[in-house]
Structure formats: structure tokens, C-alpha cells
């Protein structure tokens, strides 16, 4: 029984790492599309399917940098007014690294980080659908990755024994 729990716990950890890597790939692609679109206005990304399904339209909107919040609050030249994809890359690397550590504190930090990312996803999904009236395949994919990371983080926190160590470690 203990070895089954141990294997399951490590499967969850490995799946979380896979999701983080997938999130990094999606975020790097988003950054690539945004930079290419800035350099060449005629650039068409693979995720630009039609007028209502265009990721480059979303990434190059005012909401594509600093979540559309940094510029009004801190100005266009603020160090925090960077593409959202850079925030995504940092988040996924952070959660990936946290996955190598055990303990309740680390599990809580991971879960809180994932909750905050999902709050950001809800905000950006609202903007995507209601304000930009667009559908971004890359964006929605990152929302799904973040939701799965949240589920796994909650599962990890709940499954940690009272010692705070991984099963079988």
C-alpha cells in the first residue's frame, strides 16, 4: 500500500513538472509571437486562425503587457510593464523548482501561487472574451495548465502526511 502511495505521489510530482514545462513552452511561444508581431506587422502566427481567433491580436493589445494594469498605475516605462508571457515563464519556473522540495510550507507556497495565477487567468479570460472579443488558443491553453497545476497543488497539500514529507521519502 505504501509503495502504491509513493508511486502515485511521484507521478503527481512528475505530472506537475510536465505541466510547468508545457506552460514554459506556451509562454515562450507567446513571447515569440509578440516580439515578431512588433518587428513585423504583417507576421501571422500559427495561432492566428481567423479574425476572432487571433493570439497575436491579444498579445499585442494593451492587456498583453503588465496585464493592462501596470501602465495606468506605474507608467509605460515601468520595469513591471513587461509582456505577460514573461510573468508566465517566471511563474512556471518557480512552481517547477518548488516541485523538488517537500514540506507543508512549500506546498502552501505552491498552492497560493497557483491560486493567484488562476485569479489572473479569470481576469485575463474576462478581458479576452468580453473586452477583446477574441479567442486565443495559447491563452486558453495556459488557463488549463494553471487550473491543473492548482488541482495538483491542492492534492499535494492535502496528501502530505503530518510530518510534511512525501510518502515513502
Amino acid at each position: 500500500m505504501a509503495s502504491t502511495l509513493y508511486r502515485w505521489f511521484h507521478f503527481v510530482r512528475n505530472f506537475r513538472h510536465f505541466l510547468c514545462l508545457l506552460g514554459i513552452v506556451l509562454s515562450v511561444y507567446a513571447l515569440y509571437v509578440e516580439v515578431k508581431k512588433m518587428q513585423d506587422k504583417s507576421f501571422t502566427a500559427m495561432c492566428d486562425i481567423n479574425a476572432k481567433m487571433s493570439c497575436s491580436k491579444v498579445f499585442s493589445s494593451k492587456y498583453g503587457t503588465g496585464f493592462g494594469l501596470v501602465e495606468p498605475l506605474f507608467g509605460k516605462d515601468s520595469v513591471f510593464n513587461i509582456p505577460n508571457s514573461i510573468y508566465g515563464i517566471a511563474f512556471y519556473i518557480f512552481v517547477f523548482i518548488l516541485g523538488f522540495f517537500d514540506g507543508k510550507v512549500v506546498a502552501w507556497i505552491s498552492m497560493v501561487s497557483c491560486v493567484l495565477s488562476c485569479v489572473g487567468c479569470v481576469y485575463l479570460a474576462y478581458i479576452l472574451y468580453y473586452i477583446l472579443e477574441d479567442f486565443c488558443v495559447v491563452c486558453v491553453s495556459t488557463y488549463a495548465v494553471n487550473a491543473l497545476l492548482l488541482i495538483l497543488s491542492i492534492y499535494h497539500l492535502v496528501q502530505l502526511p503530518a510530518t510534511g514529507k512525501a510518502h515513502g521519502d
Side-chain angles (χ1 to χ4, degrees), residues 3-14 16 101-102 155-157 159-161 165-167 169:
S3 73
T4 304
L5 285 174
Y6 178 77
R7 279 193 304 256
W8 179 250
F9 187 82
H10 286 281
F11 168 78
V12 170
R13 176 182 285 174
N14 291 337
R16 183 174 30 179
F101 299 96
D102 286 323
Y155 175 81
H156 179 233
L157 184 64
Q159 292 300 315
L160 275 178
K165 294 288 184 194
H167 298 284
D169 285 350

Side-chain angles (χ1 to χ4, degrees), residues 66 68-76 78:
L69 299 171
V70 172
E71 186 175 335
L73 295 173
F74 302 110
K76 185 176 180 127
S78 170

Side-chain angles (χ1 to χ4, degrees), residues 19-68:
L19 288 172
C20 288
L21 292 174
L22 180 59
I24 290 169
V25 168
L26 289 166
S27 297
V28 167
Y29 179 71
L31 183 61
Y32 167 78
V33 169
E34 187 170 351
V35 169
K36 280 297 264 187
K37 193 68 174 179
M38 284 189 323
Q39 293 171 344
D40 178 9
K41 298 292 182 203
S42 66
F43 172 74
T44 303
M46 287 188 309
C47 54
D48 289 341
I49 298 166
N50 61 40
K52 289 291 187 184
M53 294 179 78
S54 170
C55 61
S56 62
K57 174 184 164 187
V58 174
F59 301 150
S60 59
S61 76
K62 70 178 184 177
Y63 301 102
T65 57
F67 301 96

Side-chain angles (χ1 to χ4, degrees), residues 30-132:
L31 183 61
Y32 167 78
V33 169
E34 187 170 351
V35 169
K36 280 297 264 187
K37 193 68 174 179
M38 284 189 323
Q39 293 171 344
D40 178 9
K41 298 292 182 203
S42 66
F43 172 74
T44 303
M46 287 188 309
C47 54
D48 289 341
I49 298 166
N50 61 40
K52 289 291 187 184
M53 294 179 78
S54 170
C55 61
S56 62
K57 174 184 164 187
V58 174
F59 301 150
S60 59
S61 76
K62 70 178 184 177
Y63 301 102
T65 57
F67 301 96
L69 299 171
V70 172
E71 186 175 335
L73 295 173
F74 302 110
K76 185 176 180 127
D77 297 325
S78 170
V79 68
F80 300 110
N81 198 30
I82 57 176
N84 296 347
S85 53
I86 293 176
Y87 287 110
I89 293 166
F91 165 73
Y92 293 121
I93 290 172
F94 179 66
V95 174
F96 185 87
I97 291 169
L98 284 177
F100 289 107
F101 299 96
D102 286 323
K104 287 276 186 190
V105 172
V106 172
W108 272 103
I109 291 170
S110 179
M111 190 199 63
V112 168
S113 299
C114 290
V115 166
L116 292 174
S117 77
C118 286
V119 168
C121 288
V122 170
Y123 165 74
L124 290 173
Y126 173 84
I127 289 169
L128 181 65
Y129 188 76
Y130 290 105
I131 295 176
L132 298 176

